[in-house]
Amino acid sequence: MTKLSVNINKIATLRNSRGGDLPNVVDAARNAERFGAQGITVHPRPDERHIRYQDVYDLKKVITTEFNIEGNPIDRFIDLVLDVVPTQVTLVPDAVDALTSNGGWDTIAHKAFLTDVIARFKAKGIRTSIFIDARPEMIPAAAEAGADRVELYTEPYASMYGKDREAAIAPFVATAEEALRYGLGVNGGHDLNLENLHYFAERIPQLAEVSIGHALISDALYLGLENTIQLYLKQLKID
């Protein structure tokens, strides 16, 4: 079954809005795992506006499932990941001032850079994933750069889902199939929610993992974290 990795950035955003340590991100990660999450995702940004670099070190000590660190591989991020050694690093081409992730890598244009960065991570035994748009032509260069997986940027799918889900999913299926042909695993993330997740998981072949934060944490405000995680896990069950 596709693994659910819970992105806890929004927990840190709430904490930072008031100062202090409430809610506590380590406790949130522990509870998410206890309630069934199969991974924890964080995305530290240079301004530390949500997850702080120290949080990453604190979380590494307690996470018992898979730990996924996302981010733009600037020098400070690379040093952090090499020091912490998570299960997986997901390379995201965020601009410094980006509110949230808004696009994937052009793996062709940036292949040399990605090859160098990925080699450094893989030398430490860290699984590497490249965040890409649903464009099959990006797959060969991702494989040549040494990636283990790609993560499909799913915001376009989520935006179009309510209008025409068949058209929305088509480029994602094509990209996933191309990834599998090149021996790459397939992850997905961004704007997946209780409405659109099941269809995505059902249609994407051999979907390894989804990383979900904003929608899941928002749902948890009304439904409770334990119930929400169980509902998301249910959406990932394919008959």
Side-chain angles (χ1 to χ4, degrees), residues 8-9 15 25-26 41-45 48 50-63 67-70 77 80-86:
I8 60 171
N9 276 21
R15 175 200 62 189
V25 295
V26 171
T41 291
V42 294
H43 189 147
R45 287 184 164 86
E48 299 188 283
H50 34 64
I51 287 292
R52 299 168 182 154
Y53 276 52
Q54 184 57 50
D55 292 331
V56 180
Y57 287 101
D58 294 341
L59 288 162
K60 171 64 176 180
K61 298 173 185 176
V62 302
I63 290 175
F67 192 18
N68 173 45
I69 305 177
E70 301 179 341
F77 178 86
L80 173 72
V81 174
L82 291 175
D83 199 23
V84 172
V85 189

PDB file of all heavy atoms in Angstrom, residues 8-9 15 25-26 41-45 48 50-63 67-70 77 80-86:
ATOM      1  N   ILE A   8       4.582  18.054   8.775  1.00  0.00           N
ATOM      2  CA  ILE A   8       4.207  18.772   9.999  1.00  0.00           C
ATOM      3  C   ILE A   8       4.615  20.245   9.979  1.00  0.00           C
ATOM      4  O   ILE A   8       4.648  20.907  11.024  1.00  0.00           O
ATOM      5  CB  ILE A   8       4.763  18.073  11.250  1.00  0.00           C
ATOM      6  CG1 ILE A   8       6.295  17.991  11.208  1.00  0.00           C
ATOM      7  CG2 ILE A   8       4.153  16.684  11.403  1.00  0.00           C
ATOM      8  CD1 ILE A   8       6.897  17.497  12.521  1.00  0.00           C
ATOM      9  N   ASN A   9       4.901  20.790   8.803  1.00  0.00           N
ATOM     10  CA  ASN A   9       5.251  22.208   8.712  1.00  0.00           C
ATOM     11  C   ASN A   9       4.200  23.110   9.346  1.00  0.00           C
ATOM     12  O   ASN A   9       4.522  24.101  10.001  1.00  0.00           O
ATOM     13  CB  ASN A   9       5.423  22.613   7.246  1.00  0.00           C
ATOM     14  CG  ASN A   9       6.808  22.295   6.715  1.00  0.00           C
ATOM     15  OD1 ASN A   9       7.513  21.453   7.260  1.00  0.00           O
ATOM     16  ND2 ASN A   9       7.200  22.976   5.659  1.00  0.00           N
ATOM     17  N   ARG A  15       3.012  27.111  15.978  1.00  0.00           N
ATOM     18  CA  ARG A  15       3.908  27.371  17.110  1.00  0.00           C
ATOM     19  C   ARG A  15       4.605  28.717  16.963  1.00  0.00           C
ATOM     20  O   ARG A  15       4.645  29.532  17.892  1.00  0.00           O
ATOM     21  CB  ARG A  15       4.952  26.260  17.201  1.00  0.00           C
ATOM     22  CG  ARG A  15       6.020  26.490  18.260  1.00  0.00           C
ATOM     23  CD  ARG A  15       7.258  25.646  17.996  1.00  0.00           C
ATOM     24  NE  ARG A  15       7.902  25.978  16.734  1.00  0.00           N
ATOM     25  CZ  ARG A  15       8.885  25.268  16.198  1.00  0.00           C
ATOM     26  NH1 ARG A  15       9.318  24.177  16.807  1.00  0.00           N
ATOM     27  NH2 ARG A  15       9.419  25.638  15.049  1.00  0.00           N
ATOM     28  N   VAL A  25       6.421  20.340  17.953  1.00  0.00           N
ATOM     29  CA  VAL A  25       6.497  19.569  16.705  1.00  0.00           C
ATOM     30  C   VAL A  25       6.962  18.137  16.943  1.00  0.00           C
ATOM     31  O   VAL A  25       6.562  17.222  16.203  1.00  0.00           O
ATOM     32  CB  VAL A  25       7.400  20.268  15.666  1.00  0.00           C
ATOM     33  CG1 VAL A  25       6.811  21.601  15.238  1.00  0.00           C
ATOM     34  CG2 VAL A  25       8.816  20.450  16.170  1.00  0.00           C
ATOM     35  N   VAL A  26       7.796  17.914  17.945  1.00  0.00           N
ATOM     36  CA  VAL A  26       8.235  16.552  18.247  1.00  0.00           C
ATOM     37  C   VAL A  26       7.059  15.715  18.737  1.00  0.00           C
ATOM     38  O   VAL A  26       6.870  14.573  18.308  1.00  0.00           O
ATOM     39  CB  VAL A  26       9.382  16.559  19.278  1.00  0.00           C
ATOM     40  CG1 VAL A  26       9.683  15.147  19.754  1.00  0.00           C
ATOM     41  CG2 VAL A  26      10.635  17.194  18.688  1.00  0.00           C
ATOM     42  N   THR A  41       7.343  14.163   7.236  1.00  0.00           N
ATOM     43  CA  THR A  41       8.018  15.053   6.290  1.00  0.00           C
ATOM     44  C   THR A  41       8.170  16.432   6.907  1.00  0.00           C
ATOM     45  O   THR A  41       7.253  16.932   7.573  1.00  0.00           O
ATOM     46  CB  THR A  41       7.218  15.167   4.975  1.00  0.00           C
ATOM     47  OG1 THR A  41       7.277  13.913   4.275  1.00  0.00           O
ATOM     48  CG2 THR A  41       7.769  16.253   4.071  1.00  0.00           C
ATOM     49  N   VAL A  42       9.319  17.052   6.665  1.00  0.00           N
ATOM     50  CA  VAL A  42       9.531  18.453   7.020  1.00  0.00           C
ATOM     51  C   VAL A  42      10.168  19.159   5.831  1.00  0.00           C
ATOM     52  O   VAL A  42      10.859  18.536   5.022  1.00  0.00           O
ATOM     53  CB  VAL A  42      10.423  18.623   8.267  1.00  0.00           C
ATOM     54  CG1 VAL A  42       9.724  18.082   9.507  1.00  0.00           C
ATOM     55  CG2 VAL A  42      11.783  17.966   8.082  1.00  0.00           C
ATOM     56  N   HIS A  43       9.925  20.457   5.752  1.00  0.00           N
ATOM     57  CA  HIS A  43      10.482  21.257   4.656  1.00  0.00           C
ATOM     58  C   HIS A  43      11.041  22.549   5.251  1.00  0.00           C
ATOM     59  O   HIS A  43      10.385  23.587   5.235  1.00  0.00           O
ATOM     60  CB  HIS A  43       9.392  21.558   3.625  1.00  0.00           C
ATOM     61  CG  HIS A  43       9.910  22.182   2.361  1.00  0.00           C
ATOM     62  ND1 HIS A  43       9.348  21.944   1.132  1.00  0.00           N
ATOM     63  CD2 HIS A  43      10.917  23.057   2.130  1.00  0.00           C
ATOM     64  CE1 HIS A  43       9.988  22.636   0.194  1.00  0.00           C
ATOM     65  NE2 HIS A  43      10.944  23.322   0.792  1.00  0.00           N
ATOM     66  N   PRO A  44      12.255  22.487   5.802  1.00  0.00           N
ATOM     67  CA  PRO A  44      12.854  23.699   6.361  1.00  0.00           C
ATOM     68  C   PRO A  44      13.230  24.677   5.251  1.00  0.00           C
ATOM     69  O   PRO A  44      13.806  24.279   4.233  1.00  0.00           O
ATOM     70  CB  PRO A  44      14.103  23.185   7.080  1.00  0.00           C
ATOM     71  CG  PRO A  44      14.456  21.916   6.363  1.00  0.00           C
ATOM     72  CD  PRO A  44      13.153  21.319   5.909  1.00  0.00           C
ATOM     73  N   ARG A  45      12.890  25.934   5.456  1.00  0.00           N
ATOM     74  CA  ARG A  45      13.260  26.972   4.493  1.00  0.00           C
ATOM     75  C   ARG A  45      14.299  27.903   5.118  1.00  0.00           C
ATOM     76  O   ARG A  45      14.438  27.953   6.340  1.00  0.00           O
ATOM     77  CB  ARG A  45      12.015  27.725   4.040  1.00  0.00           C
ATOM     78  CG  ARG A  45      11.151  26.875   3.103  1.00  0.00           C
ATOM     79  CD  ARG A  45       9.949  27.649   2.572  1.00  0.00           C
ATOM     80  NE  ARG A  45       9.361  26.975   1.424  1.00  0.00           N
ATOM     81  CZ  ARG A  45       8.445  26.013   1.501  1.00  0.00           C
ATOM     82  NH1 ARG A  45       8.017  25.599   2.675  1.00  0.00           N
ATOM     83  NH2 ARG A  45       7.953  25.458   0.401  1.00  0.00           N
ATOM     84  N   GLU A  48      13.336  29.906   8.052  1.00  0.00           N
ATOM     85  CA  GLU A  48      12.827  29.118   9.178  1.00  0.00           C
ATOM     86  C   GLU A  48      11.448  29.611   9.643  1.00  0.00           C
ATOM     87  O   GLU A  48      11.146  29.603  10.839  1.00  0.00           O
ATOM     88  CB  GLU A  48      13.820  29.117  10.344  1.00  0.00           C
ATOM     89  CG  GLU A  48      15.164  28.512   9.984  1.00  0.00           C
ATOM     90  CD  GLU A  48      16.094  28.334  11.172  1.00  0.00           C
ATOM     91  OE1 GLU A  48      16.676  29.344  11.623  1.00  0.00           O
ATOM     92  OE2 GLU A  48      16.231  27.191  11.642  1.00  0.00           O
ATOM     93  N   HIS A  50       8.646  28.211   9.387  1.00  0.00           N
ATOM     94  CA  HIS A  50       7.867  27.145  10.033  1.00  0.00           C
ATOM     95  C   HIS A  50       8.842  26.160  10.674  1.00  0.00           C
ATOM     96  O   HIS A  50       9.241  26.366  11.808  1.00  0.00           O
ATOM     97  CB  HIS A  50       6.865  26.489   9.074  1.00  0.00           C
ATOM     98  CG  HIS A  50       7.301  26.398   7.653  1.00  0.00           C
ATOM     99  ND1 HIS A  50       8.371  25.645   7.250  1.00  0.00           N
ATOM    100  CD2 HIS A  50       6.795  26.975   6.521  1.00  0.00           C
ATOM    101  CE1 HIS A  50       8.511  25.733   5.930  1.00  0.00           C
ATOM    102  NE2 HIS A  50       7.593  26.542   5.460  1.00  0.00           N
ATOM    103  N   ILE A  51       9.203  25.097  10.002  1.00  0.00           N
ATOM    104  CA  ILE A  51      10.179  24.167  10.571  1.00  0.00           C
ATOM    105  C   ILE A  51      11.547  24.852  10.682  1.00  0.00           C
ATOM    106  O   ILE A  51      12.036  25.444   9.721  1.00  0.00           O
ATOM    107  CB  ILE A  51      10.285  22.894   9.705  1.00  0.00           C
ATOM    108  CG1 ILE A  51       9.042  22.016   9.885  1.00  0.00           C
ATOM    109  CG2 ILE A  51      11.545  22.096  10.053  1.00  0.00           C
ATOM    110  CD1 ILE A  51       8.906  21.393  11.263  1.00  0.00           C
ATOM    111  N   ARG A  52      12.125  24.774  11.864  1.00  0.00           N
ATOM    112  CA  ARG A  52      13.460  25.324  12.091  1.00  0.00           C
ATOM    113  C   ARG A  52      14.503  24.222  11.910  1.00  0.00           C
ATOM    114  O   ARG A  52      14.210  23.034  12.059  1.00  0.00           O
ATOM    115  CB  ARG A  52      13.554  25.899  13.502  1.00  0.00           C
ATOM    116  CG  ARG A  52      12.575  27.036  13.758  1.00  0.00           C
ATOM    117  CD  ARG A  52      12.502  27.381  15.228  1.00  0.00           C
ATOM    118  NE  ARG A  52      11.518  28.445  15.474  1.00  0.00           N
ATOM    119  CZ  ARG A  52      10.880  28.615  16.618  1.00  0.00           C
ATOM    120  NH1 ARG A  52      11.098  27.778  17.633  1.00  0.00           N
ATOM    121  NH2 ARG A  52      10.008  29.609  16.761  1.00  0.00           N
ATOM    122  N   TYR A  53      15.712  24.620  11.619  1.00  0.00           N
ATOM    123  CA  TYR A  53      16.767  23.634  11.439  1.00  0.00           C
ATOM    124  C   TYR A  53      16.957  22.811  12.708  1.00  0.00           C
ATOM    125  O   TYR A  53      17.205  21.605  12.656  1.00  0.00           O
ATOM    126  CB  TYR A  53      18.073  24.309  11.007  1.00  0.00           C
ATOM    127  CG  TYR A  53      18.149  24.553   9.514  1.00  0.00           C
ATOM    128  CD1 TYR A  53      17.122  25.219   8.844  1.00  0.00           C
ATOM    129  CD2 TYR A  53      19.228  24.115   8.762  1.00  0.00           C
ATOM    130  CE1 TYR A  53      17.175  25.434   7.477  1.00  0.00           C
ATOM    131  CE2 TYR A  53      19.292  24.328   7.388  1.00  0.00           C
ATOM    132  CZ  TYR A  53      18.266  24.984   6.751  1.00  0.00           C
ATOM    133  OH  TYR A  53      18.315  25.187   5.398  1.00  0.00           O
ATOM    134  N   GLN A  54      16.832  23.427  13.874  1.00  0.00           N
ATOM    135  CA  GLN A  54      16.958  22.685  15.123  1.00  0.00           C
ATOM    136  C   GLN A  54      15.859  21.641  15.261  1.00  0.00           C
ATOM    137  O   GLN A  54      16.077  20.554  15.819  1.00  0.00           O
ATOM    138  CB  GLN A  54      16.934  23.619  16.325  1.00  0.00           C
ATOM    139  CG  GLN A  54      17.164  22.916  17.669  1.00  0.00           C
ATOM    140  CD  GLN A  54      18.473  22.151  17.721  1.00  0.00           C
ATOM    141  OE1 GLN A  54      19.527  22.691  17.383  1.00  0.00           O
ATOM    142  NE2 GLN A  54      18.438  20.891  18.141  1.00  0.00           N
ATOM    143  N   ASP A  55      14.654  21.952  14.740  1.00  0.00           N
ATOM    144  CA  ASP A  55      13.566  20.970  14.777  1.00  0.00           C
ATOM    145  C   ASP A  55      13.978  19.679  14.086  1.00  0.00           C
ATOM    146  O   ASP A  55      13.614  18.579  14.526  1.00  0.00           O
ATOM    147  CB  ASP A  55      12.317  21.514  14.071  1.00  0.00           C
ATOM    148  CG  ASP A  55      11.670  22.674  14.795  1.00  0.00           C
ATOM    149  OD1 ASP A  55      11.776  22.741  16.033  1.00  0.00           O
ATOM    150  OD2 ASP A  55      11.040  23.515  14.115  1.00  0.00           O
ATOM    151  N   VAL A  56      14.703  19.817  12.984  1.00  0.00           N
ATOM    152  CA  VAL A  56      15.098  18.643  12.205  1.00  0.00           C
ATOM    153  C   VAL A  56      15.990  17.723  13.052  1.00  0.00           C
ATOM    154  O   VAL A  56      15.816  16.498  13.060  1.00  0.00           O
ATOM    155  CB  VAL A  56      15.806  19.058  10.902  1.00  0.00           C
ATOM    156  CG1 VAL A  56      16.221  17.825  10.103  1.00  0.00           C
ATOM    157  CG2 VAL A  56      14.894  19.951  10.059  1.00  0.00           C
ATOM    158  N   TYR A  57      16.911  18.326  13.781  1.00  0.00           N
ATOM    159  CA  TYR A  57      17.771  17.528  14.663  1.00  0.00           C
ATOM    160  C   TYR A  57      16.952  16.879  15.787  1.00  0.00           C
ATOM    161  O   TYR A  57      17.163  15.709  16.129  1.00  0.00           O
ATOM    162  CB  TYR A  57      18.867  18.401  15.263  1.00  0.00           C
ATOM    163  CG  TYR A  57      19.947  18.783  14.287  1.00  0.00           C
ATOM    164  CD1 TYR A  57      19.951  20.041  13.691  1.00  0.00           C
ATOM    165  CD2 TYR A  57      20.964  17.895  13.957  1.00  0.00           C
ATOM    166  CE1 TYR A  57      20.945  20.402  12.792  1.00  0.00           C
ATOM    167  CE2 TYR A  57      21.963  18.244  13.059  1.00  0.00           C
ATOM    168  CZ  TYR A  57      21.948  19.496  12.474  1.00  0.00           C
ATOM    169  OH  TYR A  57      22.933  19.844  11.577  1.00  0.00           O
ATOM    170  N   ASP A  58      16.016  17.632  16.341  1.00  0.00           N
ATOM    171  CA  ASP A  58      15.194  17.095  17.429  1.00  0.00           C
ATOM    172  C   ASP A  58      14.317  15.947  16.942  1.00  0.00           C
ATOM    173  O   ASP A  58      14.135  14.936  17.643  1.00  0.00           O
ATOM    174  CB  ASP A  58      14.317  18.208  18.014  1.00  0.00           C
ATOM    175  CG  ASP A  58      15.122  19.290  18.711  1.00  0.00           C
ATOM    176  OD1 ASP A  58      16.293  19.046  19.061  1.00  0.00           O
ATOM    177  OD2 ASP A  58      14.584  20.408  18.878  1.00  0.00           O
ATOM    178  N   LEU A  59      13.774  16.083  15.746  1.00  0.00           N
ATOM    179  CA  LEU A  59      12.902  15.061  15.194  1.00  0.00           C
ATOM    180  C   LEU A  59      13.667  13.781  14.860  1.00  0.00           C
ATOM    181  O   LEU A  59      13.153  12.670  15.044  1.00  0.00           O
ATOM    182  CB  LEU A  59      12.195  15.589  13.945  1.00  0.00           C
ATOM    183  CG  LEU A  59      11.105  16.627  14.211  1.00  0.00           C
ATOM    184  CD1 LEU A  59      10.783  17.402  12.947  1.00  0.00           C
ATOM    185  CD2 LEU A  59       9.856  15.956  14.752  1.00  0.00           C
ATOM    186  N   LYS A  60      14.876  13.930  14.373  1.00  0.00           N
ATOM    187  CA  LYS A  60      15.686  12.766  14.011  1.00  0.00           C
ATOM    188  C   LYS A  60      15.849  11.814  15.198  1.00  0.00           C
ATOM    189  O   LYS A  60      15.912  10.592  15.040  1.00  0.00           O
ATOM    190  CB  LYS A  60      17.057  13.229  13.502  1.00  0.00           C
ATOM    191  CG  LYS A  60      18.075  12.133  13.294  1.00  0.00           C
ATOM    192  CD  LYS A  60      17.667  11.146  12.196  1.00  0.00           C
ATOM    193  CE  LYS A  60      18.781  10.130  11.957  1.00  0.00           C
ATOM    194  NZ  LYS A  60      18.427   9.156  10.903  1.00  0.00           N
ATOM    195  N   LYS A  61      15.879  12.353  16.405  1.00  0.00           N
ATOM    196  CA  LYS A  61      16.096  11.541  17.606  1.00  0.00           C
ATOM    197  C   LYS A  61      14.901  10.660  17.954  1.00  0.00           C
ATOM    198  O   LYS A  61      15.057   9.660  18.657  1.00  0.00           O
ATOM    199  CB  LYS A  61      16.404  12.452  18.798  1.00  0.00           C
ATOM    200  CG  LYS A  61      17.662  13.277  18.660  1.00  0.00           C
ATOM    201  CD  LYS A  61      17.777  14.266  19.818  1.00  0.00           C
ATOM    202  CE  LYS A  61      18.961  15.204  19.647  1.00  0.00           C
ATOM    203  NZ  LYS A  61      19.025  16.228  20.731  1.00  0.00           N
ATOM    204  N   VAL A  62      13.697  11.034  17.473  1.00  0.00           N
ATOM    205  CA  VAL A  62      12.494  10.344  17.942  1.00  0.00           C
ATOM    206  C   VAL A  62      11.709   9.630  16.850  1.00  0.00           C
ATOM    207  O   VAL A  62      10.915   8.732  17.152  1.00  0.00           O
ATOM    208  CB  VAL A  62      11.551  11.325  18.675  1.00  0.00           C
ATOM    209  CG1 VAL A  62      12.269  11.983  19.848  1.00  0.00           C
ATOM    210  CG2 VAL A  62      10.994  12.385  17.729  1.00  0.00           C
ATOM    211  N   ILE A  63      11.898  10.003  15.608  1.00  0.00           N
ATOM    212  CA  ILE A  63      11.094   9.397  14.537  1.00  0.00           C
ATOM    213  C   ILE A  63      11.484   7.941  14.345  1.00  0.00           C
ATOM    214  O   ILE A  63      12.664   7.603  14.211  1.00  0.00           O
ATOM    215  CB  ILE A  63      11.253  10.194  13.227  1.00  0.00           C
ATOM    216  CG1 ILE A  63      10.557  11.554  13.351  1.00  0.00           C
ATOM    217  CG2 ILE A  63      10.694   9.419  12.032  1.00  0.00           C
ATOM    218  CD1 ILE A  63      10.757  12.462  12.176  1.00  0.00           C
ATOM    219  N   PHE A  67      11.806   9.224   7.701  1.00  0.00           N
ATOM    220  CA  PHE A  67      11.985  10.663   7.857  1.00  0.00           C
ATOM    221  C   PHE A  67      12.366  11.244   6.498  1.00  0.00           C
ATOM    222  O   PHE A  67      13.383  10.860   5.915  1.00  0.00           O
ATOM    223  CB  PHE A  67      13.077  10.940   8.895  1.00  0.00           C
ATOM    224  CG  PHE A  67      13.165  12.379   9.357  1.00  0.00           C
ATOM    225  CD1 PHE A  67      12.122  13.269   9.177  1.00  0.00           C
ATOM    226  CD2 PHE A  67      14.311  12.833   9.996  1.00  0.00           C
ATOM    227  CE1 PHE A  67      12.212  14.581   9.618  1.00  0.00           C
ATOM    228  CE2 PHE A  67      14.410  14.134  10.450  1.00  0.00           C
ATOM    229  CZ  PHE A  67      13.356  15.015  10.257  1.00  0.00           C
ATOM    230  N   ASN A  68      11.533  12.160   5.997  1.00  0.00           N
ATOM    231  CA  ASN A  68      11.737  12.775   4.691  1.00  0.00           C
ATOM    232  C   ASN A  68      11.978  14.267   4.882  1.00  0.00           C
ATOM    233  O   ASN A  68      11.145  14.964   5.453  1.00  0.00           O
ATOM    234  CB  ASN A  68      10.497  12.543   3.814  1.00  0.00           C
ATOM    235  CG  ASN A  68      10.563  13.293   2.489  1.00  0.00           C
ATOM    236  OD1 ASN A  68      11.587  13.287   1.818  1.00  0.00           O
ATOM    237  ND2 ASN A  68       9.458  13.926   2.118  1.00  0.00           N
ATOM    238  N   ILE A  69      13.122  14.749   4.418  1.00  0.00           N
ATOM    239  CA  ILE A  69      13.429  16.177   4.475  1.00  0.00           C
ATOM    240  C   ILE A  69      13.375  16.743   3.064  1.00  0.00           C
ATOM    241  O   ILE A  69      14.091  16.282   2.173  1.00  0.00           O
ATOM    242  CB  ILE A  69      14.816  16.442   5.090  1.00  0.00           C
ATOM    243  CG1 ILE A  69      14.939  15.783   6.467  1.00  0.00           C
ATOM    244  CG2 ILE A  69      15.062  17.946   5.198  1.00  0.00           C
ATOM    245  CD1 ILE A  69      16.314  15.956   7.104  1.00  0.00           C
ATOM    246  N   GLU A  70      12.501  17.732   2.867  1.00  0.00           N
ATOM    247  CA  GLU A  70      12.349  18.396   1.581  1.00  0.00           C
ATOM    248  C   GLU A  70      13.058  19.736   1.605  1.00  0.00           C
ATOM    249  O   GLU A  70      13.148  20.376   2.655  1.00  0.00           O
ATOM    250  CB  GLU A  70      10.872  18.655   1.266  1.00  0.00           C
ATOM    251  CG  GLU A  70       9.998  17.435   1.203  1.00  0.00           C
ATOM    252  CD  GLU A  70       8.549  17.813   0.905  1.00  0.00           C
ATOM    253  OE1 GLU A  70       8.168  18.988   1.092  1.00  0.00           O
ATOM    254  OE2 GLU A  70       7.803  16.912   0.486  1.00  0.00           O
ATOM    255  N   PHE A  77      21.221  23.690   3.465  1.00  0.00           N
ATOM    256  CA  PHE A  77      20.316  22.541   3.436  1.00  0.00           C
ATOM    257  C   PHE A  77      21.100  21.250   3.219  1.00  0.00           C
ATOM    258  O   PHE A  77      20.859  20.241   3.893  1.00  0.00           O
ATOM    259  CB  PHE A  77      19.278  22.731   2.329  1.00  0.00           C
ATOM    260  CG  PHE A  77      18.321  21.578   2.183  1.00  0.00           C
ATOM    261  CD1 PHE A  77      17.179  21.499   2.957  1.00  0.00           C
ATOM    262  CD2 PHE A  77      18.561  20.560   1.262  1.00  0.00           C
ATOM    263  CE1 PHE A  77      16.289  20.440   2.826  1.00  0.00           C
ATOM    264  CE2 PHE A  77      17.683  19.495   1.126  1.00  0.00           C
ATOM    265  CZ  PHE A  77      16.544  19.435   1.909  1.00  0.00           C
ATOM    266  N   LEU A  80      22.779  20.236   6.382  1.00  0.00           N
ATOM    267  CA  LEU A  80      21.804  19.715   7.344  1.00  0.00           C
ATOM    268  C   LEU A  80      21.467  18.257   7.043  1.00  0.00           C
ATOM    269  O   LEU A  80      21.493  17.400   7.936  1.00  0.00           O
ATOM    270  CB  LEU A  80      20.536  20.563   7.301  1.00  0.00           C
ATOM    271  CG  LEU A  80      19.352  20.056   8.124  1.00  0.00           C
ATOM    272  CD1 LEU A  80      19.625  20.247   9.613  1.00  0.00           C
ATOM    273  CD2 LEU A  80      18.053  20.763   7.718  1.00  0.00           C
ATOM    274  N   VAL A  81      21.136  17.979   5.800  1.00  0.00           N
ATOM    275  CA  VAL A  81      20.729  16.622   5.417  1.00  0.00           C
ATOM    276  C   VAL A  81      21.873  15.636   5.607  1.00  0.00           C
ATOM    277  O   VAL A  81      21.674  14.522   6.121  1.00  0.00           O
ATOM    278  CB  VAL A  81      20.215  16.607   3.971  1.00  0.00           C
ATOM    279  CG1 VAL A  81      19.938  15.173   3.507  1.00  0.00           C
ATOM    280  CG2 VAL A  81      18.949  17.453   3.830  1.00  0.00           C
ATOM    281  N   LEU A  82      23.083  16.024   5.228  1.00  0.00           N
ATOM    282  CA  LEU A  82      24.228  15.129   5.388  1.00  0.00           C
ATOM    283  C   LEU A  82      24.526  14.858   6.857  1.00  0.00           C
ATOM    284  O   LEU A  82      25.023  13.785   7.211  1.00  0.00           O
ATOM    285  CB  LEU A  82      25.460  15.726   4.704  1.00  0.00           C
ATOM    286  CG  LEU A  82      25.418  15.790   3.177  1.00  0.00           C
ATOM    287  CD1 LEU A  82      26.647  16.501   2.643  1.00  0.00           C
ATOM    288  CD2 LEU A  82      25.291  14.402   2.557  1.00  0.00           C
ATOM    289  N   ASP A  83      24.216  15.816   7.708  1.00  0.00           N
ATOM    290  CA  ASP A  83      24.452  15.644   9.137  1.00  0.00           C
ATOM    291  C   ASP A  83      23.376  14.780   9.794  1.00  0.00           C
ATOM    292  O   ASP A  83      23.670  13.917  10.623  1.00  0.00           O
ATOM    293  CB  ASP A  83      24.494  17.020   9.801  1.00  0.00           C
ATOM    294  CG  ASP A  83      25.164  17.004  11.162  1.00  0.00           C
ATOM    295  OD1 ASP A  83      25.968  16.086  11.424  1.00  0.00           O
ATOM    296  OD2 ASP A  83      24.900  17.920  11.968  1.00  0.00           O
ATOM    297  N   VAL A  84      22.121  15.000   9.396  1.00  0.00           N
ATOM    298  CA  VAL A  84      20.996  14.286  10.009  1.00  0.00           C
ATOM    299  C   VAL A  84      20.830  12.872   9.445  1.00  0.00           C
ATOM    300  O   VAL A  84      20.461  11.943  10.156  1.00  0.00           O
ATOM    301  CB  VAL A  84      19.702  15.109   9.832  1.00  0.00           C
ATOM    302  CG1 VAL A  84      18.476  14.314  10.275  1.00  0.00           C
ATOM    303  CG2 VAL A  84      19.800  16.417  10.615  1.00  0.00           C
ATOM    304  N   VAL A  85      21.085  12.710   8.158  1.00  0.00           N
ATOM    305  CA  VAL A  85      20.942  11.430   7.452  1.00  0.00           C
ATOM    306  C   VAL A  85      19.520  10.871   7.616  1.00  0.00           C
ATOM    307  O   VAL A  85      19.283   9.879   8.322  1.00  0.00           O
ATOM    308  CB  VAL A  85      21.986  10.389   7.908  1.00  0.00           C
ATOM    309  CG1 VAL A  85      21.950   9.154   6.995  1.00  0.00           C
ATOM    310  CG2 VAL A  85      23.382  10.987   7.924  1.00  0.00           C
ATOM    311  N   PRO A  86      18.540  11.499   6.959  1.00  0.00           N
ATOM    312  CA  PRO A  86      17.177  10.986   6.994  1.00  0.00           C
ATOM    313  C   PRO A  86      17.027   9.778   6.082  1.00  0.00           C
ATOM    314  O   PRO A  86      17.957   9.414   5.355  1.00  0.00           O
ATOM    315  CB  PRO A  86      16.361  12.171   6.459  1.00  0.00           C
ATOM    316  CG  PRO A  86      17.301  12.806   5.474  1.00  0.00           C
ATOM    317  CD  PRO A  86      18.676  12.680   6.099  1.00  0.00           C
TER     318      PRO A  86
END
